[in-house]
Structures are given as structure tokens and as C-alpha cells.
Amino acid sequence: MFFEREKGGDQAILVHVDFPEGDDRQDPYEFDELVRSAGATPLALLRCSRKKPEAKSFIGQGKLEELQLLVQEHQADLVLFNHAISPSQARNVEAVVKCRVVDRIGLILDIFAQRARTHEGKLQVELAQLDYQATRLIRGWTHLERQKGGIGLRGPGETQLETDRRLLRHRITTIKDRLAKVSRQRQQNRRARLRSDTPKVAIVGYTNAGKSSLFNRVTQSEVYAADQLFATLDPTLRRFEVPDLGAVVLADTVGFIRQLPHKLVQAFKATLQETSDADLLLHVVDAASEERHYNMEQVNLVLDEIGAEQVPVLQIFNKIDLLDDFLPALERNEQGKPWRIWLSAKTGAGTELIAPAIAELLGQEIFDQEIVLRPEEGQFRAMLYQQQAILGERYDDLGRTLLQVRMQAKDFRKLLSKADLPAGRFMQLQSETPWLDD
């Protein structure tokens, strides 16, 4: 690694500052979950209130001395701030407490580094970490102001810090080039899906809201799901059959969190593009969380940042099994369209409401009537069966085949064209009597 420092354990003192309501608001309980998700052991919490951060140490001289005593008392290896602090503030605190100091952004990046599984995910995390460390390199080099002197080594030379920065810039350029190739491949895959007219549905939501559990439930998949923050980093795509609509591509995406580091959003831009390119978003919300409304606001902020604010949204209020006497339900908006579903991905209660809601939101005109086929049109019959569009089949007294068909009208027209049949061959109002060939 470019950045050297003493290796230490993960026994941590946590620091949380209560600021007035606003952009700096953080949740100390969520912070505790983040720390445990990173594998650290919280030993104590230093909590204080301020109107604004103190310029030198973020928490002020009095609290800094109190933090020093806590570190000495618990023999802690690490101090974790539940806020984004500047490199100079972290350096000043380190000088007093004599141990590592990591802020909220560094903690989240560390969790992402542990969770990344695919090659792309690892590259994205490394890029975000290097961008983050670029302003903090000086903290790691307290030795060797310059390279050693001696015969053949005299002269101005290059400081170790300058060498490190140069190597870091080179590594960042290399990673960006690799991610650009991955992005181009993703764009090719997206264009292929667009050509096939397969609708795309992306599952989004606050971290640990139950997105992967819901994904597994409706697609019968085995994506890793756990009761921890950022269990999913790498997007997973699965085919999902929706009645009256056909196949859709369902995508499980990374969870969001309040004040998600901007560098992280930029690094995961190729992955998050799956969200902005979707035809519909399933916004999964932890219905049992007291912070659910605030968490929804944070998710919407990230959606705005990645350009997905115009994508239609169906809210999924999950974990109703944790609520008292709460039954699955489908709520509609003023236009009568599905707006919110209450369900439990854990028990499966209410998950059957998702597919009809997706079909209603993404579906258009439905072709639902009985058609009559001539004997030479058996190929068209086979095509309808392949699309699982036939609800029933019978024969009349003349031996003709009568099929009860239900599918998207636009897809029915495409099949007619593919079978080289006239566009108006069977298309008629559903209220009319089924057409019979003379």
C-alpha cells in the first residue's frame, strides 16, 4: 500500500456530536451498527452538543481532553468520529490521543472494502479509498523527510511524500481506465436489453431495509442477505416473470445511507447507472424503523444525485412482521395507481402483491380475447405458447382452433409481424364478439 502507519487493533472509542437539526444530523445508534459492521468493538461513546464544529479538533479542547482520558482508560486502539472531519482535525486529535483517528467516511469506505466481492466492486472501492486518502497522505509519513544521502544520492532528490503522491496518482489513473472499460461493457448490455424491450426494475433503499431479502423472495435466488449495513455491494440481475407483462429484469443494488460519501457515489457511478436506467424503482423501506421518513429523504437525495429522480417509484414498506397486528396491503394514489405495498420479505406475507402492481405500472394495453386459427397457422400457436400467453384452447364444430389469449397488445402485434400475419388479423375491441374466420 502507498499509505503506511502502525498496525493496531479495532478496540474503539466512538465520538458523536449533536448538532442542531440540519445537514450535520447523524444517528448514534446507526453509528454503532456501522462500527460493528466494520468489525470494530465499541468500548465507550463520547457524546456532546455543539452549534458548529470547532476548527482545530472538531469537538473542542475540553472534550478532547475527556477523549484522551477515555482512550487511556480503555487502552483503545482507535477513535471513530460519526462525522466527516478534515485531515488537519484528525491529525490534531491523533497528536493528543496517540492512536488512530478515523471519521465516518473512512469507516464507510472500510466496510465497502470488506464487502466488495466482484472485480468491479473492488476497483470501485479502491478508487474511492485512494481519492479519500489523497488529502491525508501526510499523516502517514512522520519519518524520512527526504531520501537518505550518501555517495550518488546527494542533491534535492524527491521527498517520500512526493513519491507516494505520484504513485497514488498513477494508480488512480489505472483504476479509472479499468472502470471505463467496465462501464462500456455495461452500456453494451443495457443497449441489448433496450433492444429486447425488456422492462428494467431496480430495488433501491436505505441500507439494511431488506432489499436483498425481498429480491431473494420474489426471484427464488440466493443473494447474500444479512442483518447488517451494506450486506450487498455488487448489483445482481435476475429474470422475473410478471403476469400480463412478461419477463422483467430485476436488479438488487447497493444500499444508501445518510451523507453517503460523494467520492463513493462517483466511484460506483457505473453500478448506480443500473438504477437511473430503470423503468421502475422499488423503494424498500424499513417500516419498523423510527427513522424511516428521514431515511427515505436520504435515499431520494442520492437518487437525485445519480439522475434517477424522474424514474417512477413504487414504495415497498417491508418488515411488517415487526409491527403489531399489521396486515399486508396495497395503497393507491389519487390517480388510482399502485403507490405503496406493505409486506414482509422475511415471512413472504404480501409479496404476491408486487407482480400485479408492477404489471399495472409498466403495462399498457392488454390484448385479452379468443382468437381463431386456420390449420396453416400452427406456427403462430406455438409462438403464443412460448410466450405463455394462452389461457385456454378448444375446437369448434368445424375443427378450427380457438385460443383464449392474454398478453400485452404491443407484444401481440410483434408476434403477428414475426409470423408474417396482417397487423389487424385479430386486433379488435374486447367488447366485440370473438372474430371467426369465414
Side-chain angles (χ1 to χ4, degrees):
M1 283 297 294
F2 303 118
F3 185 73
E4 294 181 356
R5 66 161 60 253
E6 293 184 22
K7 295 183 178 180
D10 294 313
Q11 306 294 307
I13 303 295
L14 314 186
V15 179
H16 173 81
V17 182
D18 290 310
F19 292 107
E21 293 291 322
D23 295 337
D24 292 324
R25 174 188 175 188
Q26 299 292 0
D27 182 357
Y29 303 104
E30 178 184 86
F31 182 45
D32 186 81
E33 286 187 65
L34 276 173
V35 172
R36 296 181 187 277
S37 294
T41 302
L43 300 176
L45 172 65
L46 176 65
R47 189 167 183 172
C48 61
S49 298
R50 294 188 65 90
K51 291 184 178 180
K52 61 180 182 178
E54 196 267 337
K56 186 176 181 181
S57 64
F58 195 86
I59 55 177
Q61 186 61 35
K63 286 297 178 180
L64 183 58
E65 294 174 359
E66 188 176 337
L67 177 61
Q68 180 186 23
L69 293 176
L70 281 174
V71 170
Q72 294 173 351
E73 177 185 349
H74 294 277
Q75 296 184 335
D77 315 295
L78 180 65
V79 170
L80 295 172
F81 277 75
N82 191 21
H83 310 274
I85 63 176
S86 69
S88 62
Q89 288 170 335
R91 189 161 58 247
N92 293 335
V93 174
E94 278 189 345
V96 174
V97 300
K98 309 298 183 186
C99 70
R100 289 178 296 152
V101 173
V102 178
D103 67 357
R104 181 183 175 87
I105 296 177
L107 179 64
I108 293 175
L109 289 175
D110 185 83
I111 296 173
F112 271 56
Q114 295 180 50
R115 301 280 193 272
R117 294 291 179 268
T118 66
H119 176 64
E120 179 190 2
K122 292 176 181 178
L123 286 176
Q124 289 169 329
V125 172
E126 185 178 356
L127 176 60
Q129 285 182 317
L130 292 176
D131 279 338
Y132 172 75
Q133 290 173 353
T135 58
R136 289 165 165 78
L137 282 176
I138 193 169
R139 294 166 53 199
W141 296 103
T142 54
H143 68 297
L144 295 180
E145 172 60 22
R146 291 186 178 273
Q147 295 173 344
K148 291 183 179 180
I151 297 175
L153 295 174
R154 303 184 194 277
E158 181 179 42
T159 67
Q160 187 64 59
L161 181 59
E162 290 168 346
T163 302
D164 198 53
R165 284 174 175 160
R166 178 169 49 81
L167 293 173
L168 186 143
R169 286 194 298 269
H170 176 72
R171 179 61 179 166
I172 288 178
T173 301
T174 301
I175 293 176
K176 286 183 176 179
D177 289 342
R178 292 182 181 177
L179 285 176
K181 293 180 181 178
V182 173
S183 180
R184 287 193 293 270
Q185 182 61 45
R186 282 189 175 275
Q187 289 175 359
Q188 291 176 357
N189 294 338
R190 289 190 199 99
R191 284 195 291 267
R193 287 198 295 270
L194 289 174
R195 284 195 297 268
S196 67
D197 288 333
T198 303
K200 173 76 174 298
V201 179
I203 300 179
V204 300
Y206 207 75
T207 182
N208 205 30
K211 297 181 298 299
S212 295
S213 297
L214 180 66
F215 183 85
N216 289 338
R217 174 69 67 174
V218 299
T219 63
Q220 285 78 53
S221 301
E222 295 183 357
V223 172
Y224 179 68
D227 184 18
Q228 61 184 20
L229 303 183
F230 301 117
T232 301
L233 279 194
D234 305 302
T236 305
L237 306 180
R238 291 289 185 274
R239 182 185 177 94
F240 179 42
E241 291 292 336
V242 177
D244 292 339
L245 183 63
V248 303
V249 175
L250 192 64
D252 184 23
T253 62
V254 61
F256 302 151
I257 196 169
R258 64 188 72 191
Q259 294 188 11
L260 188 66
H262 181 74
K263 295 289 187 184
L264 205 52
V265 174
Q266 290 300 310
F268 275 73
K269 201 165 186 178
T271 300
L272 294 173
Q273 193 70 28
E274 299 288 349
T275 300
S276 57
D277 287 345
D279 299 292
L280 177 68
L281 301 181
L282 302 185
H283 183 172
V284 181
V285 180
D286 183 353
S289 172
E290 295 180 357
E291 294 279 317
R292 70 187 188 196
H293 294 297
Y294 185 76
N295 293 346
M296 292 174 67
E297 292 176 3
Q298 299 303 305
V299 171
N300 291 332
L301 288 175
V302 179
L303 292 177
D304 289 346
E305 186 172 354
I306 63 176
E309 69 277 6
Q310 299 299 325
V311 181
V313 176
L314 174 63
Q315 295 179 1
I316 307 293
F317 272 45
N318 186 29
K319 302 187 183 182
I320 63 171
D321 53 295
L322 301 179
L323 303 176
D324 294 332
D325 301 325
F326 211 96
L327 297 177
L330 169 64
E331 296 181 11
R332 296 179 177 273
N333 59 19
E334 295 177 352
Q335 289 75 38
K337 294 289 187 179
W339 171 58
R340 177 181 294 167
I341 296 177
W342 297 79
L343 55 76
S344 170
K346 182 178 180 180
T347 66
T351 53
E352 72 280 357
L353 299 172
I354 294 178
I358 292 177
E360 189 172 344
L361 291 171
L362 295 182
Q364 300 174 2
E365 178 189 359
I366 298 293
F367 179 86
D368 185 3
Q369 67 183 60
E370 191 174 54
I371 65 173
V372 181
L373 296 184
R374 302 184 182 101
E376 65 270 19
E377 294 173 341
Q379 182 184 5
F380 186 59
R381 172 181 173 273
M383 294 168 65
L384 289 171
Y385 266 109
Q386 188 177 15
Q387 294 294 320
Q388 300 179 347
I390 297 179
L391 302 181
E393 180 176 1
R394 65 186 180 90
Y395 301 90
D396 64 7
D397 295 338
L398 300 177
R400 295 176 298 188
T401 303
L402 281 70
L403 301 177
Q404 185 65 42
V405 178
R406 182 179 175 87
M407 64 187 303
Q408 292 285 312
K410 63 181 181 65
D411 295 331
F412 187 75
R413 292 188 183 94
K414 289 180 181 179
L415 284 185
L416 284 173
S417 176
K418 190 175 182 180
D420 199 22
L421 293 173
R425 174 77 164 81
F426 306 106
M427 303 300 291
Q428 64 182 45
L429 295 176
Q430 297 180 25
S431 59
E432 296 180 2
T433 304
W435 178 86
L436 296 178
D437 190 24
D438 293 331

